[in-house]
Structure formats: structure tokens, C-alpha cells
């Protein structure tokens, strides 16, 4: 037992109290079988002398281990490793011994899912032509912080800080209903709305709650990678259709439907991701008729609806849905900033009720404080004023950016000035290696995407909204130098 003391190391400079260091090390020795169950341990006085600490420290360590059940004391006999830990002394393994760093590698098998191994988009400091993020510097943070503070300090805190409805804050659902009815031409009430953390959570809920493995769904060939990830991970069968200058190819959808049952079609009717094109009115009408005829769910992603510059945006499919086939999804991530995870699903009451039950499994409720603060922002018009202000700024930045692309990079790129959204869908000369280009640009201080995750060769999204005119000019200058030096 005295040699055992050599295995115990005390670091008096460590922030962890010495008695807890000792108890943790002794516990580990028991787990490893070095101290088998029933073993009598050194007296507190002896161990204190061997490891050069105060005896009271050893007493506290032993007491801690006894409280946790690792040690037991027998009057007149001393302190022992608990006898009920005998089975830990001689572990039996049915597999070869594998030595791993448990902080880096699990001892169990982790299934590999290539679809989940996609890069995560992130907002990083410095110059960037991102995926189409809003400028957080424009966000109404003062108004939001006041609204949030009001929620924290006033009213019945038992209810405000306790559990709330799984569907989300009733106040937010009431204000959202008013807002969506006025801006989208919907005819909702609060029971038609489920609050979620964002569009990704909304689509994931749809897949989990309304689809089964044998179901067949339709996605666009070039589309939101997160939707594809959720669908593939669930194991459903997926068919892909093309997107052209008028949006999703509805004729292709009809031909697929005629071959067998389709459970769901995912559509971004306005500002399709990544191409930014809008679904033409005749295709909208036909898509709704196909949903009614073949009985499939239409999941309508309200991507960048708020930011439309040419004219009034086309109203969502949900506003013309007379058969209850559409689930409409929107988010405040682009309205305010991506960090504020707040979105919503809109649909028939029974479907929303069903989705709310599933929501409990992954998220008992959302951020009630943020939801009520956002409700106040909507009620008093702060969100609406922010949108009017930011839309004018984003329109100006779009025009400046497209002008720079045309004047500075005309030999390298092709693009269409987008009617809306926060990014330009940009095609590069096929001779240009976008991966190499993004690496060169990064070395010069500019972050751009190589477009790999978008599924269309030689294309990338270049976001303009989150950069000032001066930053856009600097970004184009760097991109031009990178193109010349590749």
C-alpha cells in the first residue's frame, strides 16, 4: 500500500481543492482494479505523511469517497474499499483491449453518415462575401434588449420563467398571426402557428412527425443542403427536380407523381435557395392543384421573403391553399440576425397540434423570454420599421455590388441582378477552380464559398447584405487579385 502512494500526485497550484484531487485519483485506482473491493486503505495519518499533506485533507478525501459509496468504514478495523465494488476488480471483456484517449475518441462504434459531414456555415470576422447573411450591425438591438429586459423584470415571473406551451408563446403567436395575415395574405389564428428555433428545426419536425421510411419526397436538384440532410438521414426516398429561371420545374413533379405516391414536396416559392429565382405564377397554381390531386404535403420555405426589391413579392402558396395541403415555414434569422433562433410553422390546426407533440421530444419549449420580446417588437412596430430601413440599405448594397461585379469581374463571372434576397447567384468561368480561388482569397483576407455544398458546378453565392459599400469594394479588389494570381 505504501507503493500506492507513489501513484498519487498532488498539485497545490491547481484550482481544484487537494482533497478532491485525492478522492478523484483514489476513485480512478478503484475503477482500474488497482484497489480491489474489500482492500484496507492506509490510515489518514500514514497517507498524509506519504503524500505530504495535512491529515485533515486526507480525512476529507476519505469522507468524500465514503459519501459516494467508494469507501466504507468498520469500527475498530479501519477504512476499506467498499466490498460491493468487487465486480469492478476483475473486468471481463468480450473484445480486444483497445487503448484510446476518451476525450478524443469514443470506445463504441459511431455510424458514419456522409450526408451529415457537410461544412457548417459560420459568420467570421473580416471581409466576406457570405451565403447571404443579414448585417447584424443594422439589427434593432436597443429595442430588442429593452423588450427582453421588460420580460425579465415585469409581470408574473412564475409563469414567465416557468414552463410554457409547447406551441410557443401565445402572445408571439397572436402577433405573428396579425403580421402574417397583413403581409402574406394568410388567414391564420394563433392555433395555426407553431414556434420553432428556425427553418431547419421546422423541416426536421416535418420529416420526423409526418414521414415514414417508405415515403417518397421531392426536393430541388440544387437546393438547401440542410433539407437534404434531414431527408436523407431519415431514410425516405428522394427524387430531385430541376430549377430554371422560373423556379421549380412543376412538370417534372407531375411526371414523378404519375409514377407513384408522393408524400411531400419541398419548395421555396420566393427567392429559391441558392439561385434566388421566384416560382412563376402559373407554376404556383399548377403546384397547388397537383398537391390537391395527388395528396402530397407542400412544405413552403419562406426564404428571404421580406427582402424583395423590384416590386411587391408574390404572395405565398399558403395564402391560396384551399385544401389544407401547405405547411408554411418562416424565420426571424434573416430579419434580425442568425443568432436569434426564432422561426414558425403555419398550417391547419390539427397538423400544428401533431407537430407540437413531436416538438416536445427534442425541445420542450423555446426561449419564452425571446419569444415574448419579439412579440412586443412586432406589436409596437419595431420589426416593421427595421425591415423598411434595412431593405433600403440592402437594395443599395445590391446595386453597388452588382455594379462592381459587372465593371471589375465581367471577364470572370456571369450573374443576374436578383429581384430579392441577400446574395447574388454567381457563375464563374469553368476554367476557374473555385476551391483554389477561395483558398487564395482567404490568404488575402476575404472569405468566400467554393460553392461545393450548392450542388451546381462553377457557381457560388456571393452575399452583399452584410458588408458596407466600402467593404464590398475592398472585397471585390481582393477577389480580382485572387482571380489574376490563381
Amino acid at each position: 500500500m505504501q507503493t500506492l502512494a507513489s501513484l498519487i500526485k498532488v498539485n497545490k497550484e491547481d484550482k481544484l481543492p487537494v482533497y478532491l484531487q485525492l478522492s478523484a485519483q483514489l476513485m480512478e485506482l478503484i475503477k482500474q482494479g488497482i484497489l480491489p473491493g474489500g482492500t484496507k486503505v492506509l490510515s489518514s495519518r500514514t497517507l498524509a505523511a506519504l503524500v505530504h499533506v495535512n491529515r485533515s485533507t486526507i480525512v476529507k478525501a476519505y469522507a468524500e469517497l465514503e459519501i459516494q459509496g467508494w469507501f466504507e468504514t468498520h469500527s475498530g478495523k479501519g477504512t476499506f474499499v467498499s466490498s460491493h465494488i468487487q465486480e469492478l476488480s476483475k473486468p471481463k471483456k468480450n473484445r480486444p483491449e483497445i487503448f484510446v484517449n476518451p476525450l478524443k475518441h469514443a470506445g463504441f462504434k459511431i455510424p458514419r453518415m456522409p450526408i451529415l459531414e457537410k461544412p457548417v456555415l459560420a459568420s467570421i470576422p473580416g471581409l466576406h462575401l457570405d451565403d447571404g447573411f443579414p448585417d447584424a450591425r443594422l439589427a434593432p438591438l436597443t429595442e430588442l434588449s429593452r423588450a427582453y429586459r421588460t420580460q425579465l423584470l415585469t409581470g408574473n415571473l412564475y409563469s414567465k420563467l416557468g414552463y410554457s406551451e409547447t406551441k410557443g408563446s401565445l402572445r408571439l403567436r397572436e402577433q405573428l398571426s396579425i403580421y402574417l395575415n397583413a403581409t402574406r395574405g394568410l388567414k391564420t389564428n394563433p392555433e395555426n402557428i407553431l414556434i420553432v428555433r428556425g427553418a431547419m428545426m421546422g423541416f426536421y419536425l416535418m420529416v420526423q412527425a409526418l414521414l415514414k421510411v417508405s415515403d417518397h419526397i421531392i426536393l430541388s436538384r440544387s437546393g438547401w443542403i440542410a433539407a437534404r440532410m434531414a431527408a436523407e438521414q431519415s431514410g425516405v426516398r428522394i427524387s430531385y427536380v430541376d430549377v430554371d429561371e422560373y423556379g421549380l420545374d412543376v412538370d417534372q413533379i407531375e411526371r414523378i407523381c404519375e409514377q407513384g405516391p408522393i408524400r411531400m414536396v419541398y419548395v421555396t416559392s420566393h427567392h429559391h435557395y441558392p439561385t434566388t429565382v421566384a416560382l412563376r405564377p402559373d407554376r404556383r397554381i399548377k403546384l397547388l392543384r397537383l398537391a390537391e390531386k395527388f395528396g402530397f404535403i407542400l412544405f413552403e420555405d419562406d426564404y428571404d421573403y421580406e427582402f424583395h426589391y423590384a416590386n411587391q413579392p408574390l404572395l405565398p402558396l399558403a395564402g391560396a391553399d384551399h385544401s389544407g395541403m401547405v405547411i408554411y415555414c418562416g424565420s426571424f434569422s434573416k430579419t434580425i440576425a442568425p443568432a436569434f433562433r426564432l422561426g414558425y410553422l403555419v398550417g391547419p390546426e390539427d397538423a400544428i397540434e401533431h407537430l407540437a407533440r413531436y416538438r416536445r421530444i427534442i425541445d420542450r419549449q423555446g426561449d419564452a423570454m425571446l419569444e415574448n420580446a419579439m412579440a412586443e417588437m412586432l406589436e409596437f412596430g419595431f420589426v416593421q420599421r427595421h425591415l423598411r430601413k434595412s431593405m433600403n440599405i440592402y437594395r443599395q448594397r445590391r446595386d453597388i455590388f452588382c455594379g462592381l461585379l459587372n465593371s471589375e469581374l465581367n471577364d470572370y463571372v456571369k450573374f443576374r441582378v436578383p429581384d430579392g434576397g441577400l446574395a447574388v447567384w454567381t457563375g464563374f468561368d469553368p476554367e476557374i477552380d473555385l476551391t483554389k480561388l477561395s483558398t487564395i482569397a482567404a490568404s488575402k483576407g476575404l472569405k468566400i464559398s467554393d460553392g461545393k455544398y450548392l450542388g451546381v458546378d462553377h457557381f457560388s453565392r456571393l452575399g452583399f447584405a452584410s458588408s458596407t459599400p466600402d467593404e464590398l469594394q475592398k472585397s471585390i479588389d481582393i477577389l480580382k487579385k485572387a482571380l489574376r494570381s490563381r
Side-chain angles (χ1 to χ4, degrees):
M1 285 296 292
Q2 290 188 3
T3 58
L4 182 64
S6 65
L7 300 176
I8 298 175
K9 306 296 181 183
V10 173
N11 181 3
K12 295 184 180 180
E13 302 298 322
D14 199 308
K15 292 182 179 180
L16 189 68
V18 172
Y19 84 95
L20 289 179
Q21 293 181 44
L22 292 168
S23 62
Q25 292 179 55
L26 288 167
M27 191 188 306
E28 189 60 32
L29 293 174
I30 295 171
K31 291 178 182 178
Q32 294 175 10
I34 297 173
L35 283 178
T39 300
K40 184 176 181 180
V41 298
L42 295 174
S43 67
S44 57
R45 189 185 305 277
T46 302
L47 185 57
L50 290 171
V51 297
H52 308 291
V53 298
N54 192 287
R55 181 190 174 195
S56 63
T57 301
I58 303 297
V59 171
K60 287 183 70 175
Y62 282 10
E64 180 69 22
L65 289 166
E66 187 171 354
I67 291 171
Q68 294 190 33
W70 296 96
F71 279 5
E72 58 189 19
T73 300
H74 300 289
S75 298
K77 295 183 179 180
T79 300
F80 298 79
V81 177
S82 294
S83 57
H84 67 265
I85 307 178
Q86 285 286 352
E87 62 271 18
L88 295 181
S89 302
K90 296 179 180 180
K92 295 180 180 180
K93 294 186 178 181
N94 296 321
R95 57 194 178 96
E97 189 75 28
I98 300 175
F99 297 96
V100 299
N101 180 343
L103 295 178
K104 292 184 177 293
H105 302 287
F108 49 84
K109 185 177 181 181
I110 300 174
R112 184 173 179 270
M113 297 182 182
I115 188 61
L116 302 182
E117 297 171 7
K118 303 295 182 183
V120 177
L121 298 179
S123 303
I124 60 173
L127 294 173
H128 50 263
L129 298 175
D130 54 38
D131 192 59
F133 301 154
D135 191 341
R137 293 169 293 189
L138 302 178
L141 299 182
T142 301
E143 294 84 355
L144 182 58
S145 62
R146 286 173 183 164
Y148 204 100
R149 187 173 186 273
T150 298
Q151 297 305 315
L152 284 173
L153 300 179
T154 63
N156 187 325
L157 294 184
Y158 177 79
S159 59
K160 280 193 172 184
L161 300 181
Y163 287 112
S164 61
E165 289 189 58
T166 306
K167 290 181 182 177
S169 158
L170 175 59
R171 185 181 178 193
L172 177 56
R173 289 186 287 123
E174 289 172 341
Q175 291 303 318
L176 260 178
S177 179
I178 295 169
Y179 177 71
L180 294 174
N181 292 349
T183 61
R184 272 49 164 196
L186 304 185
K187 299 178 179 63
T188 67
N189 63 63
E191 297 308 307
N192 295 121
I193 299 174
L194 171 66
I195 305 300
V196 291
R197 297 282 189 175
M200 183 68 258
M201 179 178 174
F203 187 72
Y204 182 80
L205 278 177
M206 288 286 295
V207 170
Q208 296 299 315
L210 294 173
L211 303 184
K212 54 184 184 295
V213 173
S214 59
D215 283 335
H216 187 183
I217 73 168
I218 293 176
L219 304 175
S220 62
R221 200 174 308 281
S222 60
W224 188 31
I225 186 63
R228 184 176 300 187
M229 290 169 66
E232 288 192 19
Q233 190 273 335
S234 71
V236 299
R237 181 184 169 198
I238 306 171
S239 287
Y240 296 98
V241 301
D242 296 322
V243 174
D244 59 23
E245 59 184 314
Y246 304 115
L248 204 62
D249 190 326
V250 178
D251 290 337
Q252 286 186 28
I253 294 174
E254 183 175 22
R255 288 194 291 271
I256 294 171
C257 288
E258 288 171 346
Q259 296 171 9
I262 295 296
R263 177 59 171 164
M264 184 170 71
V265 173
Y266 173 94
V267 59
T268 310
S269 57
H270 220 65
H271 306 145
H272 170 263
Y273 182 93
T275 67
T276 75
V277 300
L279 188 63
R280 200 170 59 185
D282 60 310
R283 294 190 182 187
R284 291 167 178 257
I285 294 170
K286 183 171 182 177
L287 187 55
L288 283 169
R289 289 176 177 172
L290 289 176
E292 185 175 356
K293 177 180 178 180
F294 292 103
F296 58 75
I297 303 164
L298 267 174
F299 184 89
E300 184 177 17
D301 187 350
D302 178 32
Y303 189 74
D304 278 353
Y305 181 89
E306 307 284 6
F307 303 111
H308 197 76
Y309 314 117
N311 46 49
Q312 287 297 313
L314 295 169
L315 294 178
L317 296 169
D321 175 28
H322 303 299
S323 303
M325 306 307 295
V326 179
I327 298 292
Y328 181 73
C329 179
S331 170
F332 286 102
S333 297
K334 296 295 181 67
T335 306
I336 306 297
F340 299 107
R341 305 309 304 160
L342 202 56
Y344 47 87
L345 293 177
V346 181
E349 289 185 19
D350 55 354
I352 293 300
E353 184 67 37
H354 179 68
L355 290 165
R357 295 191 189 103
Y358 266 80
R359 182 231 169 98
R360 291 179 62 187
I361 299 174
I362 61 171
D363 190 12
R364 166 61 179 80
Q365 65 187 62
D367 184 340
M369 293 296 99
L370 177 59
E371 290 174 17
N372 284 321
M374 190 61 69
E376 184 171 316
M377 295 277 287
L378 283 167
E379 183 177 358
F380 292 102
F382 295 125
V383 171
Q384 295 87 329
R385 285 195 287 276
H386 165 66
L387 283 170
R388 288 193 293 271
K389 172 188 172 183
S390 57
M391 183 138 85
N392 288 331
I393 292 173
Y394 293 155
R395 180 190 288 111
Q396 179 193 38
R397 292 180 181 180
R398 178 204 62 171
D399 294 343
I400 290 171
F401 184 61
C402 289
L404 289 169
L405 284 177
N406 191 51
S407 63
E408 302 294 325
L409 304 180
N410 189 48
D411 293 337
Y412 304 102
V413 303
K414 60 180 180 180
F415 66 96
R416 180 183 63 83
V417 178
D419 291 336
L422 305 180
V424 176
W425 179 235
T426 309
F428 286 78
D429 187 304
E431 297 299 318
I432 297 172
D433 183 334
L434 284 183
T435 300
K436 182 179 178 181
L437 178 64
S438 66
T439 301
I440 295 172
S443 69
K444 297 178 182 296
L446 172 66
K447 172 68 176 177
I448 62 169
S449 168
D450 61 11
K452 282 186 175 180
Y453 65 94
L454 300 172
V456 183
D457 292 339
H458 312 300
F459 273 82
S460 185
R461 281 171 61 87
L462 301 181
F464 55 81
S466 58
S467 300
T468 65
D470 182 59
E471 290 165 343
L472 290 172
Q473 179 67 66
K474 291 177 180 177
S475 297
I476 290 294
D477 290 342
I478 291 175
L479 187 55
K480 187 174 182 178
K481 291 177 183 177
L483 283 163
R484 288 176 173 176
S485 64
R486 59 190 169 84

